[in-house]
Amino acid sequence: MGCRGLHLLIWVLSILCFACFCCCQFIPQDNYLINCGSPTNATVGNRVFVSDNSASKLLSTPQNVLASTSSKPVTSSKDSVLYQTARVFTGSSKYTFSIRQSDRHWIRLYLYPFVYDKYDMSKANFSVSSANHALLSDFSVNSYVVKEFSVNVTSSTLDVTFSPSGDSFAFVNALEVISVPNKLIADDASSISPPVVFQGLLWQALETVHRVNMGGPIITFENDTLWRTWVPDRSFLVEANLAKSVSNIPAVNYVEGGATPLIAPNTVYGTATMMNSENDPNSNFNVTWEFKVDPGFQYLVRFHFCDIVSRNLNQLYFNVFIDSWIAIRDLDLSTYLTNTLAGAYFMDVVTVKTVSNKIRISVGPSNLHDVYPNAILNGLEIMKMNNSQGSLSGPTAGTTSSSSKINVGMIVGVVIGVSVAAVLAGILFIICWRRRKLAAQGHTKTWIPLSTNGGNSHTMGSKYSNGTTTSIHSNLGYRFPFVAIQEATNNFDESWVIGIGGFGKVYKGELNDGTKVAVKRGNPRSQQGLAEFQTEIEMLSQFRHRHLVSLIGYCDEKNEMILIYEYMENGTLKGHLYGSGFPSLSWKQRLEVCIGAARGLHYLHTGYAKAVIHRDVKSANILLDENLMSKVADFGLSKTGPELDQTHVSTAVKGSFGYLDPEYFRRQQLTEKSDVYSFGVVLFEVLCARPVIDPSLPREMVNLAEWAMKWQKKGQLDQIIDSTLAGKIRPDSLRKFAETAEKCLADYGVDRPSMGDVLWNLEYALQLQEAVLQGDPEENSTNVIGELSPQVNNFNQDDNSFSASQADVSIADDLSGVSMSRVFSQLVKSEGR
Ligand SMILES: *[C@@H]1O[C@H](CO)[C@@H](O)[C@H](O)[C@H]1NC(C)=O
Ligand SMILES: *[C@@H]1O[C@H](CO)[C@@H](O)[C@H](O)[C@H]1NC(C)=O
Ligand SMILES: *[C@@H]1O[C@H](CO)[C@@H](O)[C@H](O)[C@H]1NC(C)=O
Ligand SMILES: *[C@@H]1O[C@H](CO)[C@@H](O)[C@H](O)[C@H]1NC(C)=O
Ligand SMILES: *[C@@H]1O[C@H](CO)[C@@H](O)[C@H](O)[C@H]1NC(C)=O
Ligand SMILES: *[C@@H]1O[C@H](CO)[C@@H](O)[C@H](O)[C@H]1NC(C)=O
């Protein structure tokens, strides 16, 4: 209880901290603002750019020239004074800054070519490097530009080196080196291909190549929370007539878990570009922007969203694309910031290495929901990531002529496409960052058994884990080009087939990054197949869980219906039970496999607002990875459960013979308890290691469920168990297991346990088995089955009530695959600083 109090306190403190960060301005630890080539300091807004004469100890060589001009660029902010002087370098020179805090720093170069004496700066040709990264190479500039980079500085000094190319020269008008808020760039982001969590952003050098305010005016550094400049999006629109601007700045809400004013100011979130559908409810098109980039690099794309167009929650569902890749599928912003309309939110996506010199960003309506079609985007940042040599300089880096097209006839136009002023920043996205971190860790974390959890944190725990299940990754779907799949499967090599089902063939494959995959290729013509194909993509794109097979992508080119899954090294559970060469599993392994599958199903039933019913639970749909961890597969028949579908009636009874819930068969009422029934059959299958229907057997044995129940009712189930298990199951464990299976097969759904109860009972059966092995292996290794007690049929009431409360706790833990105790220890650690 004291523990819970502490958690609460920490929770409250974290919210206070959050609120406090929101209203405080960011004060950089290192803050060098240099007015180059000038004898005087220059004041721009509330910032002083210091003369590099008075700061001359920063500069390495005297071989340079002070240049000045009376002309100045027409900038929309008050920084033109910075451009009236420049320092010209005729040989390699560097500025050296001492760094108080090793962390990510911005480096901004202000460049405005003018003619001074014999130096025509538009003819200058030079390279700039810093912290082992080439920032610019053989760079020339023909109009005014601010280049913005950020690098993670790990030493106590930072050099910015200017090197003339050949016998040319270098120049710079002004220079900034400033600390970036620590958590501004998180280590991880989604990656569009392969669809995994991209990690390692902390080590990346970045260059901001575009920073755009959709549907609004230019925001200059004076009006940004972190001295950034956001340019309007009109000139980037591919078909401007398809897009419409909206503005509602006062509506913007900054809430916990979302963006903060430092991530982007409300003037960015409060305006958007949306579909210009002209009240046509059948509108179906994308709004597309096109941005110039250097080919051969990966880019970090940060999307800023804020639903300022809907009147109510859950009214806007849309897709977001980067080129032809789907970046975010079926985005419903209201699921991220619970019950907040117009909450500011952002998402980071890493692109593949670009081949072309443009990136297209599109948003378009999702057709999975019956709502008015619309799609929005509020802001966008595109950041170039360093290549494997650590370089940010592309072959064509630098010439800025193209960006001057921005001009829409206003002063605005002069601001070059690349952006001015400060970069990224924004602290307090710590919370959001932490969440992502946790969500990402969830993939690899092992579940901590319930016995180590207090059970106190239930309420808060489940709230938190609900939050983490809606991680950015949960909405991703991935569309693969057909050729990529041909390549991965050796052009559907027949010898690579690993399975054949009603849907089609399953091939083993390998993506070009080495990821092993299973490729399921549907028979093109079947109409039913198409519906199942779509259901499967929809389901698997929404649900991500350690015990559900994950979808890596799909392909619907050329009438193909291809699904690409993570590869499961050890095939199906069925294959390990009978009829194939796999070695048979021990009792403990079987229990663990059942527990994993039960977790996956439990998550389907409860992990989401609407329960999902799998409808085809069977041993052939439970797959095992290289560590024999089990995952539930094949969601083609899945249906959203009763909460949506009040009638519980489904059109046709579907599922697999032998596993089918008789109640569902009789009354055509579909509930989660139908999955529980099928799972009960699987449990008997696991125990007896025989097919659920075997017509070759004597009549009373044909149907496993009936036959096993007969023996279970007689209390002699041990007579029919898999012979390889004989003498190896602890009677208590067998009893618990058999009781659980029996309950699952109750005639009426209401009498069957929930998947959560099943899960706990299986856990318990495992503990009963383990307890003994730790005790006296000698004694128990022989003929333990013989000790099976006669009250095998009595479902122990004490056990049962114990299970109810404990199961809740374990369930809360398991919703996201993130253990509550881990969550709270994270909270304690990070808030305690
Ligand atoms: C410029 O500012 C620096 C630091 O604030 C100061 O030390 C220096 O004296 C100033 N130089 C001039 C010429 O005002
Ligand atoms: C800049 O210098 C490099 C190396 O001398 C040369 O290859 C390149 O063509 C020059 N670029 C321009 C625009 O003159
Ligand atoms: C910088 O890199 C170090 C590792 O070298 C990492 O621990 C740190 O978090 C990074 N900082 C930022 C702000 O990216
Ligand atoms: C931007 O800032 C300037 C000065 O700080 C102010 O006069 C102007 O109204 C601001 N513009 C907007 C759109 O907020
Ligand atoms: C939107 O763009 C994506 C990616 O190019 C494309 O796959 C999709 O079909 C487009 N949607 C519409 C409605 O044109
Ligand atoms: C960026 O450079 C670092 C070394 O500074 C390297 O470790 C990293 O892999 C590079 N990034 C990419 C995408 O190659």
Side-chain angles (χ1 to χ4, degrees):
M1 277 302 133
C3 200
R4 180 188 203 165
L6 182 62
H7 290 155
L8 255 172
L9 181 66
I10 288 162
W11 189 256
V12 167
L13 278 179
S14 76
I15 287 166
L16 284 180
C17 274
F18 180 88
C20 166
F21 274 128
C22 282
C23 57
C24 301
Q25 242 195 320
F26 170 64
I27 298 162
Q29 273 279 322
D30 292 310
N31 188 18
Y32 295 98
L33 308 173
I34 310 295
N35 186 15
C36 304
S38 167
T40 59
N41 295 346
T43 303
V44 178
N46 57 1
R47 311 170 85 200
V48 178
F49 283 72
V50 178
S51 149
D52 65 353
N53 272 357
S54 56
S56 61
K57 57 181 188 299
L58 295 176
L59 208 49
S60 68
T61 92
Q63 44 166 217
N64 49 58
V65 177
L66 297 183
S68 62
T69 179
S70 55
S71 79
K72 48 179 168 177
V74 190
T75 83
S76 50
S77 37
K78 301 197 185 78
D79 59 355
S80 61
V81 59
L82 296 178
Y83 298 98
Q84 292 189 273
T85 61
R87 188 167 291 269
V88 172
F89 307 99
T90 51
S92 182
S93 303
K94 65 183 180 200
Y95 288 92
T96 302
F97 302 96
S98 74
I99 297 298
R100 270 194 268 179
Q101 194 172 329
S102 335
D103 251 331
R104 189 172 285 277
H105 283 64
W106 297 311
I107 299 170
R108 290 189 209 117
L109 307 175
Y110 292 68
L111 300 167
Y112 170 59
F114 57 84
V115 182
Y116 175 80
D117 196 8
K118 59 181 181 186
Y119 300 104
D120 176 354
M121 292 173 214
S122 63
K123 302 260 162 37
N125 182 355
F126 59 98
S127 300
V128 180
S129 64
S130 186
N132 298 324
H133 293 289
L135 304 181
L136 299 171
S137 299
D138 295 337
F139 179 79
S140 291
V141 58
N142 53 20
S143 95
Y144 122 86
V145 66
V146 178
K147 285 279 182 185
E148 181 178 89
F149 304 92
S150 73
V151 295
N152 185 346
V153 182
T154 47
S155 53
S156 56
T157 59
L158 178 71
D159 291 345
V160 179
T161 306
F162 292 82
S163 314
S165 308
D167 51 9
S168 189
F169 61 94
F171 78 97
V172 61
N173 304 76
L175 179 63
E176 296 183 18
V177 172
I178 307 189
S179 303
V180 174
N182 196 14
K183 300 283 165 45
L184 182 73
I185 301 289
D187 193 46
D188 47 20
S190 322
S191 145
I192 50 175
S193 177
V196 292
V197 180
F198 180 95
Q199 285 180 311
L201 285 177
L202 291 184
W203 284 267
Q204 289 289 315
L206 301 169
E207 177 186 354
T208 311
V209 291
H210 294 284
R211 180 176 288 131
V212 187
N213 176 26
M214 270 62 193
I218 186 170
I219 296 166
T220 64
F221 68 85
E222 300 142 283
N223 297 73
D224 182 65
T225 41
L226 286 165
W227 317 289
R228 291 163 295 204
T229 293
W230 303 74
V231 301
D233 68 319
R234 276 274 137 185
S235 62
F236 299 103
L237 280 166
V238 174
E239 285 182 84
N241 59 320
L242 294 180
K244 201 158 98 176
S245 301
V246 277
S247 172
N248 189 357
I249 293 168
V252 176
N253 281 307
Y254 289 102
V255 295
E256 188 246 313
T260 68
L262 292 185
I263 299 289
N266 62 355
T267 42
V268 170
Y269 284 113
T271 65
T273 293
M274 66 174 198
M275 286 171 66
N276 182 15
S277 54
E278 289 175 330
N279 297 325
D280 176 1
N282 298 317
S283 300
N284 187 19
F285 57 84
N286 290 330
V287 176
T288 301
W289 297 262
E290 192 172 276
F291 299 93
K292 287 224 152 176
V293 296
D294 290 332
F297 288 89
Q298 286 184 282
Y299 289 83
L300 171 62
V301 179
R302 176 167 288 184
F303 296 96
H304 298 272
F305 297 111
C306 181
D307 183 359
I308 53 170
V309 303
S310 299
R311 297 226 175 75
N312 290 303
L313 296 170
N314 306 105
Q315 283 191 344
L316 177 66
Y317 296 85
F318 59 102
N319 297 321
V320 181
F321 304 91
I322 298 178
D323 293 329
S324 60
W325 303 92
I326 180 129
I328 309 162
R329 173 177 296 282
D330 240 353
L331 176 60
D332 175 6
L333 292 167
S334 44
T335 62
Y336 290 99
L337 303 171
T338 327
N339 296 326
T340 306
L341 197 58
Y345 198 77
F346 72 97
M347 293 185 175
D348 287 343
V349 180
V350 170
T351 69
V352 294
K353 199 184 276 182
T354 48
V355 186
S356 119
N357 64 346
K358 327 182 195 18
I359 286 184
R360 275 184 175 226
I361 303 290
S362 308
V363 296
S366 144
N367 47 22
L368 291 174
H369 297 270
D370 192 16
V371 293
Y372 190 81
N374 201 356
I376 63 166
L377 186 58
N378 302 65
L380 184 75
E381 289 169 277
I382 300 181
M383 291 169 256
K384 189 201 272 181
M385 293 162 53
N386 71 254
N387 65 17
S388 52
Q389 280 85 50
S391 170
L392 279 167
S393 62
T396 60
T399 37
T400 54
S401 49
S402 60
S403 16
S404 50
K405 285 196 205 112
I406 293 169
N407 198 329
V408 210
M410 304 184 301
I411 283 175
V412 169
V414 187
V415 175
I416 304 316
V418 183
S419 61
V420 172
V423 180
L424 343 164
I427 232 174
L428 81 59
F429 114 44
I430 299 165
I431 286 178
C432 182
W433 174 80
R434 184 203 303 125
R435 275 185 175 208
R436 289 173 183 204
K437 197 87 194 155
L438 286 171
Q441 286 169 352
H443 297 300
T444 51
K445 208 172 282 173
T446 50
W447 188 69
I448 294 178
L450 55 95
S451 50
T452 64
N453 292 321
N456 289 332
S457 55
H458 178 210
T459 317
M460 276 165 60
S462 52
K463 183 163 166 270
Y464 199 96
S465 56
N466 279 334
T468 55
T469 53
T470 56
S471 82
I472 45 169
H473 310 293
S474 60
N475 270 358
L476 299 180
Y478 311 92
R479 195 164 169 209
F480 277 66
F482 185 66
V483 287
I485 298 168
Q486 278 180 307
E487 230 172 79
T489 57
N490 201 18
N491 200 16
F492 301 102
D493 192 329
E494 284 301 302
S495 66
W496 292 26
V497 171
I498 50 175
I500 301 179
F503 180 90
K505 286 181 182 166
V506 184
Y507 300 80
K508 184 179 169 164
E510 189 168 325
L511 301 180
N512 55 17
D513 68 340
T515 312
K516 278 192 182 170
V517 292
V519 174
K520 186 155 105 177
R521 188 186 196 189
N523 301 320
R525 281 176 303 276
S526 116
Q527 197 50 43
Q528 184 201 331
L530 183 63
E532 291 180 13
F533 176 69
Q534 284 162 346
T535 310
E536 178 121 16
I537 294 173
E538 187 184 342
M539 290 295 169
L540 281 179
S541 301
Q542 283 177 49
F543 298 100
R544 297 255 154 179
H545 189 270
R546 212 152 19 94
H547 293 287
L548 301 180
V549 163
S550 33
L551 184 68
I552 290 183
Y554 67 96
C555 171
D556 57 0
E557 254 172 52
K558 306 183 182 159
N559 285 330
E560 289 284 349
M561 296 186 295
I562 297 174
L563 296 164
I564 303 144
Y565 303 92
E566 64 179 311
Y567 183 68
M568 300 290 284
E569 198 80 43
N570 274 309
T572 67
L573 168 60
K574 187 176 178 179
H576 286 268
L577 293 176
Y578 49 85
S580 76
F582 284 117
S584 99
L585 301 173
S586 72
W587 182 237
K588 182 182 172 215
Q589 285 170 324
R590 293 185 203 203
L591 283 171
E592 283 168 346
V593 164
C594 293
I595 288 167
R599 281 211 184 110
L601 289 171
H602 173 66
Y603 171 75
L604 276 185
H605 291 173
T606 61
Y608 202 60
K610 305 149 197 157
V612 167
I613 302 165
H614 184 286
R615 292 217 298 173
D616 201 11
V617 175
K618 56 181 177 181
S619 59
N621 281 341
I622 296 170
L623 305 184
L624 307 178
D625 74 3
E626 68 275 19
N627 303 317
L628 293 175
M629 184 165 97
S630 59
K631 303 192 182 205
V632 178
D634 210 338
F635 295 76
L637 296 180
S638 306
K639 276 248 191 269
T640 307
E643 264 158 79
L644 237 208
D645 178 10
Q646 285 302 337
T647 63
H648 301 207
V649 174
S650 88
T651 43
V653 171
K654 287 184 182 153
S656 295
F657 206 48
Y659 295 94
L660 213 52
D661 170 12
E663 188 180 40
Y664 169 44
F665 198 75
R666 277 195 309 272
R667 303 169 53 196
Q668 308 213 347
Q669 276 199 350
L670 186 64
T671 71
E672 298 96 299
K673 296 296 177 69
S674 301
D675 283 351
V676 173
Y677 182 93
S678 308
F679 191 71
V681 179
V682 171
L683 293 181
F684 279 128
E685 202 182 347
V686 163
L687 188 64
C688 304
R690 53 150 280 189
V692 293
I693 300 287
D694 188 345
S696 67
L697 292 172
R699 205 170 174 282
E700 78 276 11
M701 293 174 67
V702 169
N703 184 321
L704 170 64
E706 283 173 16
W707 194 54
M709 283 297 274
K710 203 173 111 193
W711 287 91
Q712 165 68 1
K713 292 223 158 77
K714 282 198 284 188
Q716 295 174 358
L717 194 63
D718 56 306
Q719 302 293 313
I720 61 162
I721 66 170
D722 183 359
S723 54
T724 63
L725 294 175
K728 295 185 181 132
I729 310 179
R730 164 82 181 159
D732 287 349
S733 178
L734 176 63
R735 186 171 59 236
K736 189 88 233 164
F737 186 87
E739 282 169 1
T740 309
E742 181 185 8
K743 283 247 155 187
C744 290
L745 296 192
D747 278 341
Y748 296 95
V750 288
D751 298 330
R752 295 175 203 149
S754 69
M755 262 341 277
D757 287 333
V758 173
L759 172 58
W760 186 84
N761 280 290
L762 293 175
E763 278 280 355
Y764 192 52
L766 177 62
Q767 281 175 15
L768 290 172
Q769 179 75 11
E770 296 273 87
V772 154
L773 293 179
Q774 284 158 15
D776 190 349
E778 268 313 301
E779 190 186 325
N780 292 293
S781 61
T782 53
N783 212 17
V784 281
I785 290 304
E787 300 169 7
L788 198 57
S789 77
Q791 346 103 328
V792 97
N793 274 331
N794 302 342
F795 205 77
N796 185 318
Q797 288 308 313
D798 287 342
D799 286 354
N800 212 10
S801 56
F802 178 48
S803 78
S805 59
Q806 290 291 304
D808 280 352
V809 175
S810 64
I811 286 153
D813 271 355
D814 198 54
L815 277 179
S816 59
V818 174
S819 147
M820 275 313 102
S821 49
R822 292 291 289 264
V823 169
F824 282 111
S825 66
Q826 289 274 346
L827 273 179
V828 172
K829 275 190 216 128
S830 45
E831 300 306 331
R833 293 190 215 143

